Amino acid sequence: MARRDMGKLVFLDLVDRSGRIQLLYEPAALGEAQLNLGDLVGVEGQPMRTRRGEPSLRVRELRVLARIRRPLPDTFHGLTDVEQRYRRRYLDLLMNEETRADFMLRARIVAAVRRFLDDDGFIEVETPILQPRYGGGFAEPFVTHHNVLDQDVYLRIATELYLKRLIVGGLEKVYELAKDFRNEGVSYKRNPEFTMLEWYEAYADYRDTMVRTENLIEFVARETLGRTLVTFKDHEVDLKAPWQRVRLVDELDTLGLWTRDFDDLKQRLESRDVDVSQDKTWAQLVDKAITAYVEPRLIRPTILYDYPIELSPFARTTDDDPTIVERFEYFVGGMELGNAFSELNDAEEQAQRFAIQAEEVARGNVEAEQGDPDYVEALSYGMPPTGGCGLGIDRLTMVLAGKDSIRDVILFPALRDKP
């Protein structure tokens, strides 16, 4: 990746995943170095240090393994055009050591997540990507057609409903690191194809899951970075457990945005110049209020808990208020990392919740749950009280790597075709 001709010696910089080392090449003994920047070579030689103490290799034999056929970008400045870095990630990795380090960090994050859950007695499973019904989240799916079965199928938007079938089956503690797909917009924190961790634990509730979530993220930070203090979106935050806890309804009330009346809430948001022209239901308005006013305030690691039932078709209601469910989302630097709740485990109530979601669909909410009769049947065989959680691996990597865009932590992010 670099060459310096010094008469009797040629200094070459050899680079691979482990780093960079200097080669001392002697043309008088080995012949002229017929090399171009970017050639792949295999080298044998004697380890040594230069007079300045730099670790080097005195070359005995050098073989060209592959010739470069296109010139590399400027080796001093690297590949700096952001669009080209995403489109030609192989060049970004080749030229930018920081990029290589980021994706090696991501690999260590995934390994640490597995280690944490495996050590706590969870088993890793795999569930279908192509599903006859999509569910487990509020999202518009990608749809395709199965020719042999002659039916439309959906790329999963979540693994939730299949993982909870396994809890019914007695596996008790399961997790999946999965690719999910949502047919929605692209932003600094959204990519239509993303990696999600979901775990489900029998005989646990959302408060148990809060503790496990905090501990998992602290563990991953320590394992991969050696510390819990990170800088994300210009904020220095400490991921050490326990995290701040904030009740959602109280936060909305403090902001003057808690009302169950659709027209009233719509008017309050419009008065603050929030665009609600496409929102057809009260649940959509509440979600808009959370996104616009609550999330940006949650800079330090925070658990936001106790959500309205309309936003959470799979969560158990609280003992004190049947309109509020045992659900929490958790945030760092004003960005949501994941979602969790005490799972609803009553088949009849689940069927009623699906019916409520069907009304949401009828009122124009294309992201509402479609219902899943087979899942309701599974619940009818009995599911123990269960705590479940989803964690966005891409977003966690953003936090630990200090990256502002999800595209920087996905090797091949979604991009528009070139014009």
Side-chain angles (χ1 to χ4, degrees), residues 207-270:
R207 296 196 181 277
D208 300 313
T209 307
M210 289 178 190
V211 174
R212 189 176 296 284
T213 301
E214 296 167 329
N215 289 341
L216 183 151
I217 292 175
E218 178 183 346
F219 174 84
V220 172
R222 291 190 186 280
E223 286 288 294
T224 58
L225 301 177
R227 63 183 189 277
T228 59
L229 203 64
V230 299
T231 301
F232 176 61
K233 299 182 80 67
D234 297 325
H235 300 288
E236 189 173 71
V237 295
D238 193 342
L239 301 175
K240 188 178 185 301
W243 291 11
Q244 172 180 243
R245 284 164 167 71
V246 175
R247 190 167 184 267
L248 172 59
V249 173
D250 295 340
E251 190 72 1
L252 287 171
D253 192 43
T254 298
L255 294 167
L257 291 170
W258 178 243
T259 172
R260 283 196 168 274
D261 183 86
F262 174 86
D263 292 328
D264 185 16
L265 182 54
K266 184 176 182 181
Q267 184 178 17
R268 295 187 194 190
L269 289 170
E270 287 176 335

Side-chain angles (χ1 to χ4, degrees), residues 148-164:
V148 173
L149 299 180
D150 191 25
Q151 68 182 44
D152 286 345
V153 291
Y154 304 92
L155 275 69
R156 66 183 172 204
I157 63 172
T159 56
E160 176 175 345
L161 300 187
Y162 281 90
L163 291 175
K164 288 194 288 191

Side-chain angles (χ1 to χ4, degrees), residues 120-395:
D120 273 0
F122 285 78
I123 60 168
E124 184 175 5
V125 297
E126 296 174 291
T127 61
I129 294 175
L130 292 175
Q131 302 179 348
R133 294 175 180 271
Y134 64 93
F138 292 135
E140 188 173 351
F142 289 95
V143 61
T144 187
H145 189 78
H146 194 301
N147 292 334
V148 173
L149 299 180
D150 191 25
Q151 68 182 44
D152 286 345
V153 291
Y154 304 92
L155 275 69
R156 66 183 172 204
I157 63 172
T159 56
E160 176 175 345
L161 300 187
Y162 281 90
L163 291 175
K164 288 194 288 191
R165 285 172 169 91
L166 302 182
I167 298 294
V168 171
L171 294 185
E172 294 188 351
K173 296 174 79 171
V174 296
Y175 76 93
E176 184 169 8
L177 279 157
K179 285 289 189 182
D180 290 340
F181 308 86
R182 298 185 179 182
N183 199 354
E184 58 189 20
V186 175
S187 73
Y188 81 92
K189 62 180 180 180
R190 287 191 175 89
N191 193 68
E193 175 184 350
F194 58 98
T195 303
M196 178 68 73
L197 164 70
E198 290 195 44
W199 76 81
Y200 292 85
E201 179 180 7
Y203 312 108
D205 65 10
Y206 76 142
R207 296 196 181 277
D208 300 313
T209 307
M210 289 178 190
V211 174
R212 189 176 296 284
T213 301
E214 296 167 329
N215 289 341
L216 183 151
I217 292 175
E218 178 183 346
F219 174 84
V220 172
R222 291 190 186 280
E223 286 288 294
T224 58
L225 301 177
R227 63 183 189 277
T228 59
L229 203 64
V230 299
T231 301
F232 176 61
K233 299 182 80 67
D234 297 325
H235 300 288
E236 189 173 71
V237 295
D238 193 342
L239 301 175
K240 188 178 185 301
W243 291 11
Q244 172 180 243
R245 284 164 167 71
V246 175
R247 190 167 184 267
L248 172 59
V249 173
D250 295 340
E251 190 72 1
L252 287 171
D253 192 43
T254 298
L255 294 167
L257 291 170
W258 178 243
T259 172
R260 283 196 168 274
D261 183 86
F262 174 86
D263 292 328
D264 185 16
L265 182 54
K266 184 176 182 181
Q267 184 178 17
R268 295 187 194 190
L269 289 170
E270 287 176 335
S271 70
R272 304 185 187 203
D273 296 324
V274 178
D275 181 11
V276 293
S277 59
Q278 303 302 312
D279 298 315
K280 309 297 184 184
T281 68
W282 180 83
Q284 289 176 310
L285 292 178
V286 173
D287 188 61
K288 186 68 67 71
I290 295 170
T291 301
Y293 290 101
V294 177
E295 291 185 12
R297 292 159 57 92
L298 306 179
I299 302 301
R300 59 184 287 200
T302 302
I303 289 174
L304 188 68
Y305 68 98
D306 285 2
Y307 278 58
I309 192 172
E310 292 87 346
L311 274 66
S312 311
F314 299 112
R316 176 187 181 275
T317 57
T318 62
D319 294 332
D320 300 329
D321 187 345
T323 68
I324 300 295
V325 296
E326 294 185 348
R327 173 189 175 188
F328 71 89
E329 293 180 298
Y330 48 107
F331 301 82
V332 173
M335 182 178 71
E336 178 203 345
L337 291 185
N339 181 36
F341 31 83
S342 302
E343 306 296 333
L344 179 62
N345 64 343
D346 181 270
E348 292 182 1
E349 187 175 353
Q350 182 62 77
Q352 294 169 3
R353 299 278 191 94
F354 278 139
I356 292 173
Q357 288 295 300
E359 294 174 5
E360 288 273 317
V361 173
R363 289 198 291 267
N365 186 354
V366 297
E367 294 185 350
E369 285 284 346
Q370 303 295 300
D372 190 334
D374 180 75
Y375 174 67
V376 174
E377 180 181 342
L379 285 185
S380 70
Y381 289 94
M383 185 175 82
T386 297
C389 186
L391 167 61
I393 295 298
D394 309 303
R395 294 188 185 183

Side-chain angles (χ1 to χ4, degrees), residues 44-48 56-60:
E44 295 179 11
Q46 178 67 38
M48 58 169 291
S56 303
L57 193 73
R58 183 179 294 276
V59 178
R60 284 200 301 259

